[in-house]
Amino acid sequence: MNLKLKVWRQRGSGDRGRLVEYEAKNISPDVSFLEMLDIVNEELTRKNVEPVAFDHDCREGICGTCSLMVNGIAHGPRRATTACQLHLRHFKDGDTITIEPWHAKAFPVIKDLVVDRSAFDRIVQAGGFISVNTGGVPEANTIPVPKRTADRAMDAAACIGCGACVASCKNASAMLFVAAKVSHLALLPQGQAEKKERVQKMVAQMDKEGFGACTNQYECEAVCPKEISVSFIAKMNREYLKSSI
Amino acid sequence: MCFERLKSTVGRKAVMAVSGLILLLFVAGHMIGNLQVFLGQEALNSYADHLQSLPVLLWPVRLFLLLVLLLHMAVSISLAWENKTARPVPYAYQDTVQAGYVSRTMVVSGVVIFTFIVYHLLHFTFGTTHPQYFHLTDSKGRHDVYSMVILSFRDLWVSGSYVAAMAVLCAHLSHGIQSLFQSLGFNNEKSRPFFEKLAIAASIMIFIGNSFIPFAVLMGFLKLPSGVI
Ligand code: FES
């Protein structure tokens, strides 16, 4: 199939960035979105044009590195699917596809479609962990966790930190990400000791990084490749307000 | 709760929710009070007279509501400004999956509602816009609120603007009410659909209840008592 691409090109954080048109010709509908970009890049290299920089790692939908805004939707039109797991069969021959990086003040563009998401790392460093003493590994199952609680904690822990929530939010808010991290630890017994401190510090860091505030439109949940529920945002709000009283 | 924590994004969302809830309760109470217009001139005028005869209570409540309204507006402006600056470069191709029109235009609907409140106060509280209806008195010598309402709403432009403002308020509340449960952390997967429905039902009730008064005047269901003009 043949596609017309409008790709965001930006030399670095100082550059303004613009959309540049490319053709993707004779592409098999079975290739993934990233493979299609690989093919386009090979063609560009042959023509002595600088290839388009984009982020990727596992290409299996588990690492959260790929980060493409496809036609205005984070990770493209498929629900619960990362850009690397999106296949071209979901597009029509002759389609025009606009590809942009995540746009947010807290995610500065490094180059083209690659953004710096270390703001997320700093939020996790602020409190998204449990402090344990080193020593022998404790016996598994010594601390009982009810199945339902364990399941909910796992639902929150499914977050791969890709940043699609920030990218899709009209306020570039990171609340779904922070809520997932706060909740998964707050649900488990191991996370109880630092529960109050954690939510306070993580929210403070989130604000410091320049993310916006949630206006409860739930675009984040709709684009999240791991379908993290916005109920976790309510949980984070609850934890934050309780720990502030 | 210390001020530092209220200033965070999560803290300010909670302030929006609590102040919004107070204003919502006032709107509901105000509507129930006004619906006494259907009980006739005597009921409405004596209700208004009762409120006016308690200045010790009336003024603190008015002042409190004004402060809550100003807080609701100030915090929303600060949040909206930060939200805007959180994305300095807009997307060339803009699309949304599910965010509705109403939720994206809360600031606009808020400004419309504020303008309406100013007009509404000038109209019925200060008597600036329709002074000719403001100084009527009933047979017991009380301020004749009943006749003032009916005479005012006979003007199509006045009733039309009230109904339009109530439609905007209804839209604002339909997002606001469901948001307040989320922002204060009462939501979970099971309660969210319920609160969403509750928000829509409550805002439609407020729209119908309030709009019914100008509608009834225009349709002639509410008539002037004999002896007025
Ligand atoms: S590259 Fe790992 S999730 Fe897409």
Side-chain angles (χ1 to χ4, degrees):
Chain A
M1 56 199 289
N2 297 316
L3 299 164
K4 203 164 112 195
L5 306 179
K6 290 184 178 174
V7 184
W8 185 266
R9 305 292 321 245
Q10 183 172 346
R11 259 170 259 129
S13 53
D15 184 24
R16 279 199 42 178
R18 70 216 64 86
L19 287 174
V20 179
E21 289 190 17
Y22 299 107
E23 304 269 327
K25 284 196 201 110
N26 289 324
I27 313 268
S28 153
D30 295 328
V31 305
S32 77
F33 205 81
L34 301 192
E35 284 163 340
M36 180 269 290
L37 286 179
D38 290 334
I39 296 168
V40 171
N41 272 344
E42 296 224 347
E43 181 68 27
L44 290 178
T45 314
R46 258 200 299 279
K47 286 192 205 148
N48 231 347
V49 179
E50 171 102 13
V52 178
F54 63 94
D55 244 344
H56 60 99
D57 189 16
C58 70
R59 299 204 177 193
E60 288 179 350
I62 52 175
C63 74
T65 310
C66 56
S67 47
L68 299 177
M69 210 66 182
V70 181
N71 283 345
I73 307 286
H75 290 304
R78 294 279 294 172
R79 240 186 143 87
T81 307
T82 53
C84 60
Q85 290 288 293
L86 176 66
H87 289 84
L88 286 198
R89 55 179 167 270
H90 300 299
F91 295 89
K92 286 198 297 292
D93 189 30
D95 273 358
T96 301
I97 307 175
T98 305
I99 310 169
E100 293 174 85
W102 294 167
H103 278 319
K105 185 168 81 183
F107 287 166
V109 171
I110 299 172
K111 192 172 187 212
D112 297 338
L113 303 169
V114 181
V115 297
D116 180 0
R117 282 169 282 183
S118 37
F120 270 11
D121 298 337
R122 289 188 292 273
I123 293 173
V124 171
Q125 281 161 7
F129 51 80
I130 51 167
S131 306
V132 288
N133 294 321
T134 52
V137 180
E139 183 62 40
N141 299 328
T142 42
I143 308 172
V145 181
K147 171 87 169 81
R148 276 187 52 195
T149 312
D151 285 350
R152 280 211 79 203
M154 274 309 293
D155 287 347
C159 169
I160 51 176
C162 63
C165 43
V166 174
S168 63
C169 174
K170 88 180 203 320
N171 312 319
S173 170
M175 285 207 185
L176 190 62
F177 168 76
V178 180
K181 299 299 169 198
V182 163
S183 301
H184 109 248
L185 295 175
L187 282 162
L188 294 172
Q190 292 87 343
Q192 297 310 307
E194 291 154 302
K195 189 168 157 174
K196 292 186 172 181
E197 223 182 307
R198 176 182 307 115
V199 65
Q200 290 290 339
K201 286 187 175 166
M202 290 181 82
V203 168
Q205 187 65 34
M206 167 181 85
D207 289 354
K208 210 170 118 194
E209 297 290 347
F211 293 105
C214 177
T215 43
N216 308 328
Q217 301 180 314
Y218 312 146
E219 277 294 304
C220 51
E221 181 187 78
V223 301
C224 176
K226 298 297 157 187
E227 301 187 290
I228 310 271
S229 163
V230 291
S231 300
F232 289 119
I233 299 183
K235 181 167 176 58
M236 173 182 70
N237 293 341
R238 187 156 71 234
E239 298 287 342
Y240 185 87
L241 296 171
K242 267 200 300 193
S243 69
S244 303
I245 294 169
Chain B
M1 198 189 289
C2 78
F3 187 60
E4 213 36 58
R5 288 175 181 175
L6 275 182
K7 261 177 31 191
S8 71
T9 43
V10 177
R12 276 179 291 162
K13 295 286 306 167
V15 172
M16 288 303 290
V18 173
S19 57
L21 178 63
I22 294 171
L23 295 169
L24 169 71
L25 292 176
F26 166 73
V27 166
H30 187 49
M31 177 183 82
I32 292 167
N34 290 349
L35 284 174
Q36 294 181 60
V37 72
F38 291 102
L39 300 177
Q41 185 190 27
E42 172 57 32
L44 189 68
N45 286 0
S46 80
Y47 163 68
D49 198 50
H50 270 115
L51 289 183
Q52 293 290 344
S53 63
L54 290 167
V56 237
L57 214 71
L58 186 67
W59 279 103
V61 170
R62 281 179 170 173
L63 196 70
F64 172 70
L65 285 171
L66 180 69
L67 288 177
V68 171
L69 178 68
L70 292 177
L71 183 70
H72 192 73
M73 284 168 29
V75 174
S76 73
I77 291 167
S78 91
L79 283 170
W81 174 253
E82 271 169 45
N83 290 347
K84 201 134 202 82
T85 51
R87 172 161 302 128
V89 181
Y91 289 108
Y93 190 113
Q94 303 210 0
D95 197 5
T96 53
V97 183
Q98 59 161 35
Y101 185 71
V102 165
S103 65
R104 281 182 283 137
T105 49
M106 289 297 274
V107 175
V108 181
S109 55
V111 169
V112 173
I113 293 163
F114 178 71
T115 318
F116 168 74
I117 293 173
V118 172
Y119 169 70
H120 180 54
L121 288 177
L122 289 176
H123 182 186
F124 283 137
T125 308
F126 300 113
T128 328
T129 56
H130 295 77
Q132 69 276 33
Y133 305 143
F134 196 65
H135 300 292
L136 303 172
T137 45
D138 63 9
S139 54
K140 294 187 185 156
R142 295 172 304 200
H143 177 34
D144 192 359
V145 179
Y146 182 83
S147 305
M148 172 174 77
V149 168
I150 292 182
L151 288 166
S152 304
F153 282 152
R154 281 188 175 171
D155 182 334
L156 201 61
W157 286 105
V158 174
S159 352
S161 58
Y162 269 75
V163 173
M166 285 308 111
V168 176
L169 177 66
C170 171
H172 192 83
L173 289 179
S174 70
H175 181 68
I177 297 174
Q178 68 179 61
S179 285
L180 87 90
F181 294 104
Q182 174 80 357
S183 299
L184 292 177
F186 291 119
N187 257 355
N188 59 37
E189 276 89 349
K190 286 199 204 91
S191 69
R192 183 143 60 98
F194 169 73
F195 286 137
E196 278 170 10
K197 286 191 198 96
L198 179 80
I200 291 172
S203 36
I204 290 178
M205 261 160 62
I206 285 177
F207 173 74
I208 294 178
N210 281 325
S211 308
F212 201 57
I213 301 172
F215 178 75
V217 172
L218 282 181
M219 299 309 281
F221 300 148
L222 282 172
K223 291 194 186 68
L224 273 182
S226 52
V228 180
I229 307 188

